[in-house]
PDB file of all heavy atoms in Angstrom:
ATOM      1  N   GLU A   1       4.551  37.769 -12.828  1.00 59.00           N
ATOM      2  CA  GLU A   1       4.646  36.321 -12.745  1.00 59.00           C
ATOM      3  C   GLU A   1       6.038  35.828 -13.147  1.00 59.00           C
ATOM      4  O   GLU A   1       6.322  34.652 -13.110  1.00 59.00           O
ATOM      5  CB  GLU A   1       3.587  35.743 -13.694  1.00 59.00           C
ATOM      6  CG  GLU A   1       3.243  34.302 -13.533  1.00 59.00           C
ATOM      7  CD  GLU A   1       2.390  33.995 -12.324  1.00 59.00           C
ATOM      8  OE1 GLU A   1       1.521  34.787 -11.980  1.00 59.00           O
ATOM      9  OE2 GLU A   1       2.625  32.930 -11.735  1.00 59.00           O
ATOM     10  N   SER A   2       6.916  36.716 -13.542  1.00 61.00           N
ATOM     11  CA  SER A   2       8.208  36.368 -14.115  1.00 61.00           C
ATOM     12  C   SER A   2       9.090  35.574 -13.146  1.00 61.00           C
ATOM     13  O   SER A   2       9.129  35.854 -11.958  1.00 61.00           O
ATOM     14  CB  SER A   2       8.936  37.646 -14.548  1.00 61.00           C
ATOM     15  OG  SER A   2      10.110  37.313 -15.218  1.00 61.00           O
ATOM     16  N   PHE A   3       9.806  34.610 -13.698  1.00 71.00           N
ATOM     17  CA  PHE A   3      10.723  33.797 -12.912  1.00 71.00           C
ATOM     18  C   PHE A   3      12.142  34.289 -13.141  1.00 71.00           C
ATOM     19  O   PHE A   3      12.459  34.915 -14.161  1.00 71.00           O
ATOM     20  CB  PHE A   3      10.606  32.325 -13.310  1.00 71.00           C
ATOM     21  CG  PHE A   3       9.309  31.713 -12.876  1.00 71.00           C
ATOM     22  CD1 PHE A   3       8.205  31.727 -13.707  1.00 71.00           C
ATOM     23  CD2 PHE A   3       9.197  31.134 -11.623  1.00 71.00           C
ATOM     24  CE1 PHE A   3       7.013  31.168 -13.305  1.00 71.00           C
ATOM     25  CE2 PHE A   3       8.000  30.569 -11.214  1.00 71.00           C
ATOM     26  CZ  PHE A   3       6.907  30.588 -12.060  1.00 71.00           C
ATOM     27  N   GLU A   4      13.003  33.963 -12.214  1.00 72.00           N
ATOM     28  CA  GLU A   4      14.376  34.445 -12.225  1.00 72.00           C
ATOM     29  C   GLU A   4      15.125  34.090 -13.512  1.00 72.00           C
ATOM     30  O   GLU A   4      15.794  34.913 -14.104  1.00 72.00           O
ATOM     31  CB  GLU A   4      15.094  33.855 -11.009  1.00 72.00           C
ATOM     32  CG  GLU A   4      16.451  34.424 -10.742  1.00 72.00           C
ATOM     33  CD  GLU A   4      17.005  33.877  -9.453  1.00 72.00           C
ATOM     34  OE1 GLU A   4      16.363  34.043  -8.402  1.00 72.00           O
ATOM     35  OE2 GLU A   4      18.084  33.270  -9.511  1.00 72.00           O
ATOM     36  N   ASN A   5      15.017  32.871 -13.949  1.00 73.00           N
ATOM     37  CA  ASN A   5      15.768  32.420 -15.122  1.00 73.00           C
ATOM     38  C   ASN A   5      14.882  32.231 -16.353  1.00 73.00           C
ATOM     39  O   ASN A   5      15.137  31.362 -17.171  1.00 73.00           O
ATOM     40  CB  ASN A   5      16.514  31.133 -14.806  1.00 73.00           C
ATOM     41  CG  ASN A   5      15.595  30.034 -14.330  1.00 73.00           C
ATOM     42  OD1 ASN A   5      14.434  30.272 -14.039  1.00 73.00           O
ATOM     43  ND2 ASN A   5      16.107  28.830 -14.258  1.00 73.00           N
ATOM     44  N   SER A   6      13.841  33.040 -16.479  1.00 81.00           N
ATOM     45  CA  SER A   6      12.920  32.870 -17.604  1.00 81.00           C
ATOM     46  C   SER A   6      13.478  33.498 -18.876  1.00 81.00           C
ATOM     47  O   SER A   6      14.243  34.453 -18.836  1.00 81.00           O
ATOM     48  CB  SER A   6      11.555  33.465 -17.276  1.00 81.00           C
ATOM     49  OG  SER A   6      11.648  34.857 -17.172  1.00 81.00           O
ATOM     50  N   VAL A   7      13.072  32.922 -19.992  1.00 86.00           N
ATOM     51  CA  VAL A   7      13.465  33.410 -21.308  1.00 86.00           C
ATOM     52  C   VAL A   7      12.256  34.103 -21.921  1.00 86.00           C
ATOM     53  O   VAL A   7      11.218  33.467 -22.110  1.00 86.00           O
ATOM     54  CB  VAL A   7      13.909  32.238 -22.214  1.00 86.00           C
ATOM     55  CG1 VAL A   7      14.275  32.729 -23.599  1.00 86.00           C
ATOM     56  CG2 VAL A   7      15.044  31.473 -21.583  1.00 86.00           C
ATOM     57  N   PRO A   8      12.356  35.408 -22.209  1.00 89.00           N
ATOM     58  CA  PRO A   8      11.210  36.080 -22.820  1.00 89.00           C
ATOM     59  C   PRO A   8      11.151  35.814 -24.327  1.00 89.00           C
ATOM     60  O   PRO A   8      12.085  36.106 -25.061  1.00 89.00           O
ATOM     61  CB  PRO A   8      11.469  37.562 -22.530  1.00 89.00           C
ATOM     62  CG  PRO A   8      12.947  37.655 -22.395  1.00 89.00           C
ATOM     63  CD  PRO A   8      13.435  36.332 -21.880  1.00 89.00           C
ATOM     64  N   ILE A   9      10.063  35.218 -24.756  1.00 89.00           N
ATOM     65  CA  ILE A   9       9.846  34.952 -26.182  1.00 89.00           C
ATOM     66  C   ILE A   9       8.414  35.371 -26.489  1.00 89.00           C
ATOM     67  O   ILE A   9       7.474  34.823 -25.904  1.00 89.00           O
ATOM     68  CB  ILE A   9      10.035  33.464 -26.538  1.00 89.00           C
ATOM     69  CG1 ILE A   9      11.452  33.000 -26.222  1.00 89.00           C
ATOM     70  CG2 ILE A   9       9.700  33.214 -27.997  1.00 89.00           C
ATOM     71  CD1 ILE A   9      11.668  31.505 -26.403  1.00 89.00           C
ATOM     72  N   ALA A  10       8.255  36.322 -27.367  1.00 88.00           N
ATOM     73  CA  ALA A  10       6.903  36.733 -27.761  1.00 88.00           C
ATOM     74  C   ALA A  10       6.224  35.569 -28.474  1.00 88.00           C
ATOM     75  O   ALA A  10       6.865  34.820 -29.217  1.00 88.00           O
ATOM     76  CB  ALA A  10       6.959  37.952 -28.664  1.00 88.00           C
ATOM     77  N   PHE A  11       4.928  35.431 -28.259  1.00 86.00           N
ATOM     78  CA  PHE A  11       4.188  34.318 -28.851  1.00 86.00           C
ATOM     79  C   PHE A  11       4.372  34.255 -30.367  1.00 86.00           C
ATOM     80  O   PHE A  11       4.526  33.185 -30.934  1.00 86.00           O
ATOM     81  CB  PHE A  11       2.701  34.411 -28.500  1.00 86.00           C
ATOM     82  CG  PHE A  11       1.869  33.372 -29.185  1.00 86.00           C
ATOM     83  CD1 PHE A  11       1.941  32.052 -28.800  1.00 86.00           C
ATOM     84  CD2 PHE A  11       1.037  33.712 -30.237  1.00 86.00           C
ATOM     85  CE1 PHE A  11       1.185  31.084 -29.437  1.00 86.00           C
ATOM     86  CE2 PHE A  11       0.283  32.754 -30.881  1.00 86.00           C
ATOM     87  CZ  PHE A  11       0.355  31.435 -30.472  1.00 86.00           C
ATOM     88  N   LYS A  12       4.394  35.401 -31.015  1.00 88.00           N
ATOM     89  CA  LYS A  12       4.506  35.404 -32.475  1.00 88.00           C
ATOM     90  C   LYS A  12       5.876  34.923 -32.955  1.00 88.00           C
ATOM     91  O   LYS A  12       6.040  34.592 -34.118  1.00 88.00           O
ATOM     92  CB  LYS A  12       4.197  36.791 -33.040  1.00 88.00           C
ATOM     93  CG  LYS A  12       5.157  37.868 -32.620  1.00 88.00           C
ATOM     94  CD  LYS A  12       4.740  39.213 -33.179  1.00 88.00           C
ATOM     95  CE  LYS A  12       5.666  40.311 -32.710  1.00 88.00           C
ATOM     96  NZ  LYS A  12       5.273  41.609 -33.221  1.00 88.00           N
ATOM     97  N   HIS A  13       6.856  34.824 -32.043  1.00 89.00           N
ATOM     98  CA  HIS A  13       8.199  34.361 -32.412  1.00 89.00           C
ATOM     99  C   HIS A  13       8.500  32.955 -31.899  1.00 89.00           C
ATOM    100  O   HIS A  13       9.647  32.519 -31.939  1.00 89.00           O
ATOM    101  CB  HIS A  13       9.255  35.336 -31.883  1.00 89.00           C
ATOM    102  CG  HIS A  13       9.144  36.704 -32.455  1.00 89.00           C
ATOM    103  ND1 HIS A  13       9.361  36.974 -33.782  1.00 89.00           N
ATOM    104  CD2 HIS A  13       8.815  37.886 -31.879  1.00 89.00           C
ATOM    105  CE1 HIS A  13       9.180  38.263 -34.007  1.00 89.00           C
ATOM    106  NE2 HIS A  13       8.838  38.836 -32.867  1.00 89.00           N
ATOM    107  N   ILE A  14       7.482  32.254 -31.452  1.00 89.00           N
ATOM    108  CA  ILE A  14       7.693  30.933 -30.862  1.00 89.00           C
ATOM    109  C   ILE A  14       8.270  29.935 -31.872  1.00 89.00           C
ATOM    110  O   ILE A  14       8.988  29.020 -31.505  1.00 89.00           O
ATOM    111  CB  ILE A  14       6.377  30.402 -30.233  1.00 89.00           C
ATOM    112  CG1 ILE A  14       6.649  29.270 -29.256  1.00 89.00           C
ATOM    113  CG2 ILE A  14       5.402  29.930 -31.262  1.00 89.00           C
ATOM    114  CD1 ILE A  14       7.046  29.706 -27.914  1.00 89.00           C
ATOM    115  N   LEU A  15       8.008  30.143 -33.161  1.00 87.00           N
ATOM    116  CA  LEU A  15       8.490  29.210 -34.186  1.00 87.00           C
ATOM    117  C   LEU A  15       9.761  29.680 -34.889  1.00 87.00           C
ATOM    118  O   LEU A  15      10.198  29.040 -35.840  1.00 87.00           O
ATOM    119  CB  LEU A  15       7.387  28.966 -35.221  1.00 87.00           C
ATOM    120  CG  LEU A  15       6.143  28.265 -34.698  1.00 87.00           C
ATOM    121  CD1 LEU A  15       5.103  28.133 -35.787  1.00 87.00           C
ATOM    122  CD2 LEU A  15       6.477  26.919 -34.104  1.00 87.00           C
ATOM    123  N   ASP A  16      10.355  30.763 -34.419  1.00 89.00           N
ATOM    124  CA  ASP A  16      11.611  31.229 -35.017  1.00 89.00           C
ATOM    125  C   ASP A  16      12.692  30.165 -34.851  1.00 89.00           C
ATOM    126  O   ASP A  16      12.681  29.393 -33.881  1.00 89.00           O
ATOM    127  CB  ASP A  16      12.066  32.538 -34.373  1.00 89.00           C
ATOM    128  CG  ASP A  16      11.196  33.717 -34.772  1.00 89.00           C
ATOM    129  OD1 ASP A  16      10.300  33.534 -35.624  1.00 89.00           O
ATOM    130  OD2 ASP A  16      11.410  34.816 -34.222  1.00 89.00           O
ATOM    131  N   ALA A  17      13.628  30.144 -35.770  1.00 90.00           N
ATOM    132  CA  ALA A  17      14.651  29.096 -35.788  1.00 90.00           C
ATOM    133  C   ALA A  17      15.468  29.066 -34.495  1.00 90.00           C
ATOM    134  O   ALA A  17      15.739  27.989 -33.952  1.00 90.00           O
ATOM    135  CB  ALA A  17      15.573  29.291 -36.992  1.00 90.00           C
ATOM    136  N   GLU A  18      15.864  30.243 -33.985  1.00 93.00           N
ATOM    137  CA  GLU A  18      16.683  30.240 -32.768  1.00 93.00           C
ATOM    138  C   GLU A  18      15.900  29.755 -31.554  1.00 93.00           C
ATOM    139  O   GLU A  18      16.461  29.115 -30.661  1.00 93.00           O
ATOM    140  CB  GLU A  18      17.308  31.610 -32.494  1.00 93.00           C
ATOM    141  CG  GLU A  18      16.321  32.700 -32.116  1.00 93.00           C
ATOM    142  CD  GLU A  18      15.913  33.589 -33.263  1.00 93.00           C
ATOM    143  OE1 GLU A  18      16.267  33.318 -34.423  1.00 93.00           O
ATOM    144  OE2 GLU A  18      15.235  34.585 -32.993  1.00 93.00           O
ATOM    145  N   ASN A  19      14.590  30.009 -31.530  1.00 90.00           N
ATOM    146  CA  ASN A  19      13.777  29.524 -30.420  1.00 90.00           C
ATOM    147  C   ASN A  19      13.557  28.020 -30.514  1.00 90.00           C
ATOM    148  O   ASN A  19      13.597  27.318 -29.501  1.00 90.00           O
ATOM    149  CB  ASN A  19      12.443  30.265 -30.376  1.00 90.00           C
ATOM    150  CG  ASN A  19      12.631  31.734 -30.080  1.00 90.00           C
ATOM    151  OD1 ASN A  19      13.581  32.128 -29.416  1.00 90.00           O
ATOM    152  ND2 ASN A  19      11.741  32.557 -30.586  1.00 90.00           N
ATOM    153  N   GLN A  20      13.339  27.510 -31.710  1.00 89.00           N
ATOM    154  CA  GLN A  20      13.205  26.065 -31.876  1.00 89.00           C
ATOM    155  C   GLN A  20      14.496  25.356 -31.480  1.00 89.00           C
ATOM    156  O   GLN A  20      14.465  24.286 -30.874  1.00 89.00           O
ATOM    157  CB  GLN A  20      12.823  25.726 -33.313  1.00 89.00           C
ATOM    158  CG  GLN A  20      11.380  26.009 -33.614  1.00 89.00           C
ATOM    159  CD  GLN A  20      10.955  25.418 -34.936  1.00 89.00           C
ATOM    160  OE1 GLN A  20      11.488  24.406 -35.385  1.00 89.00           O
ATOM    161  NE2 GLN A  20       9.983  26.039 -35.568  1.00 89.00           N
ATOM    162  N   LYS A  21      15.618  25.964 -31.817  1.00 91.00           N
ATOM    163  CA  LYS A  21      16.910  25.399 -31.436  1.00 91.00           C
ATOM    164  C   LYS A  21      17.044  25.364 -29.915  1.00 91.00           C
ATOM    165  O   LYS A  21      17.515  24.375 -29.351  1.00 91.00           O
ATOM    166  CB  LYS A  21      18.039  26.228 -32.054  1.00 91.00           C
ATOM    167  CG  LYS A  21      19.406  25.685 -31.787  1.00 91.00           C
ATOM    168  CD  LYS A  21      20.475  26.534 -32.446  1.00 91.00           C
ATOM    169  CE  LYS A  21      21.854  26.010 -32.086  1.00 91.00           C
ATOM    170  NZ  LYS A  21      22.920  26.872 -32.594  1.00 91.00           N
ATOM    171  N   LEU A  22      16.612  26.425 -29.255  1.00 90.00           N
ATOM    172  CA  LEU A  22      16.635  26.484 -27.795  1.00 90.00           C
ATOM    173  C   LEU A  22      15.801  25.359 -27.199  1.00 90.00           C
ATOM    174  O   LEU A  22      16.232  24.672 -26.266  1.00 90.00           O
ATOM    175  CB  LEU A  22      16.117  27.849 -27.316  1.00 90.00           C
ATOM    176  CG  LEU A  22      15.940  28.034 -25.816  1.00 90.00           C
ATOM    177  CD1 LEU A  22      17.302  28.141 -25.136  1.00 90.00           C
ATOM    178  CD2 LEU A  22      15.100  29.253 -25.529  1.00 90.00           C
ATOM    179  N   PHE A  23      14.605  25.136 -27.741  1.00 89.00           N
ATOM    180  CA  PHE A  23      13.734  24.084 -27.234  1.00 89.00           C
ATOM    181  C   PHE A  23      14.325  22.697 -27.480  1.00 89.00           C
ATOM    182  O   PHE A  23      14.253  21.824 -26.622  1.00 89.00           O
ATOM    183  CB  PHE A  23      12.342  24.169 -27.865  1.00 89.00           C
ATOM    184  CG  PHE A  23      11.621  25.454 -27.562  1.00 89.00           C
ATOM    185  CD1 PHE A  23      10.861  26.075 -28.532  1.00 89.00           C
ATOM    186  CD2 PHE A  23      11.704  26.049 -26.318  1.00 89.00           C
ATOM    187  CE1 PHE A  23      10.192  27.254 -28.261  1.00 89.00           C
ATOM    188  CE2 PHE A  23      11.037  27.231 -26.031  1.00 89.00           C
ATOM    189  CZ  PHE A  23      10.284  27.836 -27.020  1.00 89.00           C
ATOM    190  N   LYS A  24      14.904  22.497 -28.649  1.00 89.00           N
ATOM    191  CA  LYS A  24      15.483  21.190 -28.977  1.00 89.00           C
ATOM    192  C   LYS A  24      16.681  20.873 -28.108  1.00 89.00           C
ATOM    193  O   LYS A  24      16.897  19.728 -27.727  1.00 89.00           O
ATOM    194  CB  LYS A  24      15.888  21.151 -30.455  1.00 89.00           C
ATOM    195  CG  LYS A  24      14.717  21.030 -31.391  1.00 89.00           C
ATOM    196  CD  LYS A  24      15.160  21.036 -32.835  1.00 89.00           C
ATOM    197  CE  LYS A  24      13.955  21.042 -33.755  1.00 89.00           C
ATOM    198  NZ  LYS A  24      14.328  21.213 -35.165  1.00 89.00           N
ATOM    199  N   GLU A  25      17.489  21.885 -27.793  1.00 89.00           N
ATOM    200  CA  GLU A  25      18.705  21.662 -27.014  1.00 89.00           C
ATOM    201  C   GLU A  25      18.446  21.593 -25.515  1.00 89.00           C
ATOM    202  O   GLU A  25      19.314  21.169 -24.756  1.00 89.00           O
ATOM    203  CB  GLU A  25      19.726  22.766 -27.320  1.00 89.00           C
ATOM    204  CG  GLU A  25      20.267  22.684 -28.725  1.00 89.00           C
ATOM    205  CD  GLU A  25      21.187  23.843 -29.075  1.00 89.00           C
ATOM    206  OE1 GLU A  25      21.288  24.805 -28.281  1.00 89.00           O
ATOM    207  OE2 GLU A  25      21.802  23.779 -30.156  1.00 89.00           O
ATOM    208  N   SER A  26      17.275  22.013 -25.083  1.00 87.00           N
ATOM    209  CA  SER A  26      16.957  22.019 -23.662  1.00 87.00           C
ATOM    210  C   SER A  26      16.770  20.598 -23.157  1.00 87.00           C
ATOM    211  O   SER A  26      15.973  19.834 -23.691  1.00 87.00           O
ATOM    212  CB  SER A  26      15.696  22.836 -23.406  1.00 87.00           C
ATOM    213  OG  SER A  26      15.343  22.757 -22.053  1.00 87.00           O
ATOM    214  N   LYS A  27      17.487  20.256 -22.121  1.00 86.00           N
ATOM    215  CA  LYS A  27      17.361  18.941 -21.510  1.00 86.00           C
ATOM    216  C   LYS A  27      16.390  18.977 -20.332  1.00 86.00           C
ATOM    217  O   LYS A  27      16.019  17.950 -19.789  1.00 86.00           O
ATOM    218  CB  LYS A  27      18.724  18.451 -21.043  1.00 86.00           C
ATOM    219  CG  LYS A  27      19.739  18.405 -22.177  1.00 86.00           C
ATOM    220  CD  LYS A  27      20.590  17.193 -22.110  1.00 86.00           C
ATOM    221  CE  LYS A  27      21.683  17.147 -23.129  1.00 86.00           C
ATOM    222  NZ  LYS A  27      21.329  17.340 -24.467  1.00 86.00           N
ATOM    223  N   SER A  28      15.967  20.164 -19.949  1.00 86.00           N
ATOM    224  CA  SER A  28      15.048  20.305 -18.822  1.00 86.00           C
ATOM    225  C   SER A  28      13.620  20.477 -19.329  1.00 86.00           C
ATOM    226  O   SER A  28      13.381  20.647 -20.520  1.00 86.00           O
ATOM    227  CB  SER A  28      15.456  21.497 -17.966  1.00 86.00           C
ATOM    228  OG  SER A  28      15.564  22.657 -18.756  1.00 86.00           O
ATOM    229  N   LYS A  29      12.680  20.445 -18.406  1.00 87.00           N
ATOM    230  CA  LYS A  29      11.274  20.631 -18.762  1.00 87.00           C
ATOM    231  C   LYS A  29      11.046  22.095 -19.143  1.00 87.00           C
ATOM    232  O   LYS A  29      11.559  23.001 -18.500  1.00 87.00           O
ATOM    233  CB  LYS A  29      10.378  20.271 -17.581  1.00 87.00           C
ATOM    234  CG  LYS A  29      10.406  18.803 -17.242  1.00 87.00           C
ATOM    235  CD  LYS A  29       9.510  18.499 -16.067  1.00 87.00           C
ATOM    236  CE  LYS A  29       9.558  17.023 -15.731  1.00 87.00           C
ATOM    237  NZ  LYS A  29       8.738  16.715 -14.550  1.00 87.00           N
ATOM    238  N   ILE A  30      10.264  22.303 -20.183  1.00 89.00           N
ATOM    239  CA  ILE A  30       9.951  23.648 -20.665  1.00 89.00           C
ATOM    240  C   ILE A  30       8.595  24.043 -20.086  1.00 89.00           C
ATOM    241  O   ILE A  30       7.598  23.360 -20.323  1.00 89.00           O
ATOM    242  CB  ILE A  30       9.922  23.686 -22.203  1.00 89.00           C
ATOM    243  CG1 ILE A  30      11.274  23.250 -22.764  1.00 89.00           C
ATOM    244  CG2 ILE A  30       9.536  25.069 -22.694  1.00 89.00           C
ATOM    245  CD1 ILE A  30      11.266  22.966 -24.250  1.00 89.00           C
ATOM    246  N   VAL A  31       8.582  25.127 -19.327  1.00 89.00           N
ATOM    247  CA  VAL A  31       7.348  25.596 -18.702  1.00 89.00           C
ATOM    248  C   VAL A  31       6.942  26.902 -19.372  1.00 89.00           C
ATOM    249  O   VAL A  31       7.675  27.890 -19.323  1.00 89.00           O
ATOM    250  CB  VAL A  31       7.534  25.807 -17.182  1.00 89.00           C
ATOM    251  CG1 VAL A  31       6.238  26.321 -16.559  1.00 89.00           C
ATOM    252  CG2 VAL A  31       7.977  24.528 -16.519  1.00 89.00           C
ATOM    253  N   LEU A  32       5.782  26.887 -19.995  1.00 90.00           N
ATOM    254  CA  LEU A  32       5.258  28.064 -20.687  1.00 90.00           C
ATOM    255  C   LEU A  32       4.298  28.808 -19.779  1.00 90.00           C
ATOM    256  O   LEU A  32       3.474  28.198 -19.101  1.00 90.00           O
ATOM    257  CB  LEU A  32       4.514  27.644 -21.954  1.00 90.00           C
ATOM    258  CG  LEU A  32       5.272  26.794 -22.970  1.00 90.00           C
ATOM    259  CD1 LEU A  32       4.327  26.324 -24.056  1.00 90.00           C
ATOM    260  CD2 LEU A  32       6.421  27.568 -23.560  1.00 90.00           C
TER     261      LEU A  32
END
């Protein structure tokens, strides 16, 4: 199901600081 520009993030790491920063800085829609 993988998309060309997808970011792999394990569910258990969804709240890691670098991932939260990625989500906050994203100006586009986040599709999980």
Side-chain angles (χ1 to χ4, degrees):
E1 195 74 37
S2 186
F3 290 91
E4 190 174 302
N5 57 349
S6 68
V7 178
I9 299 174
F11 175 72
K12 64 182 177 181
H13 298 294
I14 198 82
L15 295 177
D16 288 355
E18 68 262 7
N19 295 331
Q20 284 191 29
K21 183 179 176 185
L22 174 72
F23 298 141
K24 286 178 185 173
E25 292 175 352
S26 176
K27 303 221 185 308
S28 54
K29 293 180 181 177
I30 301 168
V31 179
L32 305 172

